[in-house]
Amino acid sequence: DGRREALKEFCGLADVGYITRPDNEHAKAGNINHALKEISGEFVAIFDCDHLPTRSFLQFTMGSMLADSNMALVQTPHHFHSPDPFEKNFKIFRRIPNEEDLFYGLMMPGNDLWNAAFFCGSCAVLRRSALDEVGGIATETVTEDAHTALRMHRKRYNSAFIDVPMASGLATESLSAHVGQRIRWARGMVQIFRTDNPLLGRGLKMAQRLSYTSAMVHFLNGLPRLIFLLAPLVFLFFSINLFNKAAGLVLAYALPHLFHATITSSRIQRKFRHSFWAEVYETVLATYILLPTTLALINPKLGKFNVTSKGGLVKQDFFDTKIARPYVIFFLLNLIGIVVGIWRVTLGRTPIDALAINLGWAFYNLVILGAAVAVAYEARQRRRVTRVDLNVPISILSPTGVTVRGQTVDLSRGGTLVEFGAEPALKSGEPIHISFFLGDEEAAVPGKVVYQKDKRVHIEFDELTLAQESAVVRTIYSRADAWMEWNADSKPDRPLRSWFEILWYGLISLPRIMLGRPRSDP
């Protein structure tokens, strides 16, 4: 879209085709449709610009295409090697599942069972003839990917989802960028629901209709979530009882259901989504997706495609007051509601059982809202290039001709942290050559020692040639097994522990965050 001359020159150096167009009409969908006119291949692999495929990507995906001439799409997971705002600001990266793990780890395999896996915009291979038959990438909505897949399914084409991460990208760094991205998704899916409703029209099986509908109406959770956050205040402020039954009967009915639902969800989701975190995610988005989804239901032509910015820096910790304003308001309302409720207890004029239910409800909201407020405290991000935890063997050649072997702890395009079996004889500032091993291939890059502590050495790479940078990138991102074991150490959900973690982030650490004090893990 930018028609950048520097990028065109880089593509020439890297022997990569570069296609541009005179306008930006239909954004990403327009880019792809224009490019399709310039190329003739029957199969098209599509990646967002921040995604890097592994070398085995086509080996995994093309088998389904070649075996089934009716296969129009093979989708793979969107894997992220950098933390999203929740993981970064709460320091839970790779300890608690990413927000999207539930979708790619559980829901998409379920869709695949019913031949309803849909295109997610990146990390996928599509059949050119199927794209041509549906008129190319859909341009009527801002979620062109899912809409295109829906059209192909209406034409009785098949799709597949391969549950192996074979590409990696950057997660949104800031909460504001994260919310902006989700607003686009929410608006686009509701646009499809209005203009090309999967429950209506020909070509889909019932399971496909339900799978698509579930993905679309999910984004209508904004209003129910806001009602849930405000409901106990109706009683606490105005003594209006929401339940037309005795409080004991309400508890007898509701508590077993809530307990059963929580345990069942935990058993099903296990390592893909820990209990109560969905409440935080939905609360963060509720006020922001309500208006776009409502307008999309009324007039699906409203709204425009917005590109999600990635790869930026956060120079210092700061509290994003603008994005957090709705959460702060709801937090204060529930806090005031609890104070009023306790005051009414002292007066003795309100039924204690009904008051207890609504106080407990408001306290639950307070915990969830506290976490939503806390995540708006953006942690500093000083590195422009993400360091990836990675253990690969390397060797270092010192100026004296001595070679020492070690293993990386983490690695980026700018440098690496290396651990050795014994303390190496290296000095700060000393120029060295680092060799990476890709199978039988060895690639050497120049660098220097930044500093050393015991058996660990921090190394910064010098300016690299294109071939050297390519070797580093392939080592980090493009090995066939690069992301296979990424979640190997993830632990299954434990609802009680998960609740206390959110309690910590939502209430206990909130005052420290607001005062600008360092946070610590629960």
Side-chain angles (χ1 to χ4, degrees):
D1 273 346
R3 292 177 284 280
R4 291 169 292 170
E5 192 63 29
L7 180 59
K8 183 178 180 179
E9 293 177 4
F10 171 79
C11 289
L13 293 173
D15 196 24
V16 174
Y18 177 84
I19 301 172
T20 188
R21 59 187 177 126
D23 59 64
N24 295 347
E25 189 177 4
H26 301 309
K28 177 180 174 179
N31 285 347
I32 297 173
N33 288 336
H34 176 80
L36 289 174
K37 298 175 183 177
E38 306 291 327
I39 60 177
S40 58
E42 171 61 1
F43 303 103
V44 182
I46 297 178
F47 298 92
D48 283 342
C49 62
D50 62 293
H51 276 101
L52 297 94
T54 64
R55 301 176 73 177
S56 57
F57 179 82
L58 293 178
Q59 291 176 314
F60 271 86
T61 56
M62 286 305 299
S64 299
M65 287 289 193
L66 298 176
D68 181 1
S69 61
N70 205 44
M71 183 69 68
L73 163 72
V74 177
Q75 178 69 55
T76 68
H78 289 194
H79 171 79
F80 301 99
H81 58 262
S82 67
D84 68 16
F86 298 91
E87 295 170 317
K88 174 170 69 78
N89 297 339
F90 285 150
K91 299 181 181 179
I92 56 174
F93 187 43
R94 299 186 69 183
R95 189 167 62 80
I96 291 177
N98 181 280
E99 185 194 4
E100 293 194 44
D101 283 355
L102 179 65
F103 177 74
Y104 290 108
L106 199 60
M107 296 176 67
M108 278 293 275
N111 288 345
D112 184 52
L113 177 66
W114 305 109
N115 192 26
F118 54 82
F119 180 35
C120 299
S122 180
C123 311
V125 175
L126 295 91
R127 187 179 295 273
R128 171 66 176 271
S129 55
L131 274 176
D132 290 342
E133 188 173 345
V134 299
I137 302 294
T139 58
E140 293 81 2
T141 62
V142 295
T143 44
E144 73 293 326
D145 40 20
H147 199 178
T148 301
L150 175 62
R151 288 181 171 178
M152 292 193 292
H153 278 128
R154 287 195 186 278
K155 294 290 185 180
R156 311 282 182 167
Y157 280 104
N158 297 327
S159 68
F161 176 74
I162 299 179
D163 189 17
V164 178
M166 287 171 285
S168 178
L170 296 173
T172 50
E173 286 97 355
S174 68
L175 186 61
S176 58
H178 177 89
V179 169
Q181 182 187 66
R182 270 34 178 199
I183 288 174
R184 186 180 79 237
W185 293 358
R187 177 192 292 123
M189 294 302 268
V190 175
Q191 283 177 327
I192 301 173
F193 187 72
R194 274 282 280 111
T195 61
D196 196 3
N197 195 312
L199 295 175
L200 307 175
R202 298 180 179 180
L204 299 179
K205 296 180 180 179
M206 181 54 68
Q208 291 175 316
R209 294 180 191 275
L210 295 176
S211 296
Y212 272 104
T213 301
S214 173
M216 293 170 188
V217 301
H218 159 73
F219 289 101
L220 297 175
N221 63 56
L223 182 59
R225 175 59 53 185
L226 294 179
I227 291 173
F228 185 86
L229 294 174
L230 293 174
L233 304 182
V234 175
F235 181 85
L236 295 174
F237 286 152
F238 309 109
S239 297
I240 299 175
N241 202 335
L242 296 177
F243 306 108
N244 192 24
K245 292 292 180 184
L249 293 177
V250 173
L251 288 177
Y253 175 82
L255 286 183
H257 166 72
L258 293 174
F259 177 80
H260 179 265
T262 300
I263 297 302
T264 301
S265 296
S266 176
R267 293 284 293 178
I268 293 173
Q269 297 172 7
R270 295 181 67 78
K271 63 180 182 178
F272 302 115
R273 172 69 59 81
H274 285 185
S275 297
F276 307 107
W277 279 97
E279 311 283 304
V280 179
Y281 299 145
E282 289 186 7
T283 298
V284 166
L285 296 178
T287 55
Y288 291 102
I289 66 173
L290 177 60
L291 184 59
T293 53
T294 302
L295 292 177
L297 280 174
I298 298 170
N299 184 356
K301 294 183 180 180
L302 293 175
K304 62 180 182 178
F305 189 97
N306 61 296
V307 177
T308 304
S309 177
K310 296 181 181 180
L313 297 177
V314 178
K315 294 183 179 180
Q316 61 183 12
D317 294 355
F318 74 98
F319 184 70
D320 193 337
T321 53
K322 183 178 179 180
I323 201 75
R325 188 176 295 122
Y327 326 140
V328 172
I329 292 172
F330 281 101
F331 181 89
L332 292 176
L333 285 173
N334 277 269
L335 182 60
I336 295 170
I338 290 175
V339 172
V340 171
I342 295 173
W343 172 69
R344 288 190 171 178
V345 170
T346 63
L347 295 179
R349 299 175 183 174
T350 307
I352 192 66
D353 50 358
L355 192 59
I357 290 176
N358 287 279
L359 281 173
W361 190 346
F363 177 76
Y364 179 87
N365 287 345
L366 208 63
V367 173
I368 300 300
L369 285 162
V373 172
V375 77
Y377 190 89
E378 297 284 3
R380 179 173 54 179
Q381 180 173 308
R382 291 177 295 180
R383 291 193 178 100
R384 188 174 296 277
V385 180
T386 302
R387 289 208 168 195
V388 179
D389 293 339
L390 179 64
N391 302 122
V392 294
I394 68 166
S395 65
I396 293 179
L397 178 64
S398 70
T400 61
V402 177
T403 299
V404 289
R405 295 185 179 274
Q407 190 171 42
T408 62
V409 177
D410 59 45
L411 182 60
S412 76
R413 289 188 291 118
T416 180
L417 171 61
V418 183
E419 186 169 56
F420 298 91
E423 186 171 334
L426 298 172
K427 300 177 181 178
S428 295
E430 189 174 49
I432 56 175
H433 277 81
I434 308 100
S435 292
F436 299 98
F437 301 95
L438 300 170
D440 296 331
E441 180 184 351
E442 179 180 349
V445 299
K448 63 181 178 181
V449 176
V450 178
Y451 70 91
Q452 176 183 341
K453 184 177 180 180
D454 300 327
K455 299 178 182 180
R456 291 191 168 190
V457 177
H458 291 257
I459 296 170
E460 182 180 283
F461 300 144
D462 291 340
E463 185 174 348
L464 304 179
T465 66
L466 190 61
Q468 290 170 337
E469 186 171 4
S470 175
V472 174
V473 168
R474 281 186 293 149
T475 301
I476 304 172
Y477 306 106
S478 298
R479 294 168 294 109
D481 62 345
W483 315 113
M484 295 289 191
E485 303 297 324
W486 184 261
N487 292 323
D489 297 330
S490 62
K491 297 179 181 179
D493 178 36
R494 293 166 56 191
L496 196 58
R497 174 175 174 79
S498 184
W499 167 251
F500 281 112
E501 284 178 331
I502 293 177
L503 178 67
W504 172 269
Y505 296 120
L507 291 184
I508 299 173
S509 69
L510 185 60
R512 301 177 69 191
I513 290 173
M514 300 305 293
L515 292 172
R517 296 176 182 174
R519 289 162 292 181
S520 58
D521 293 333

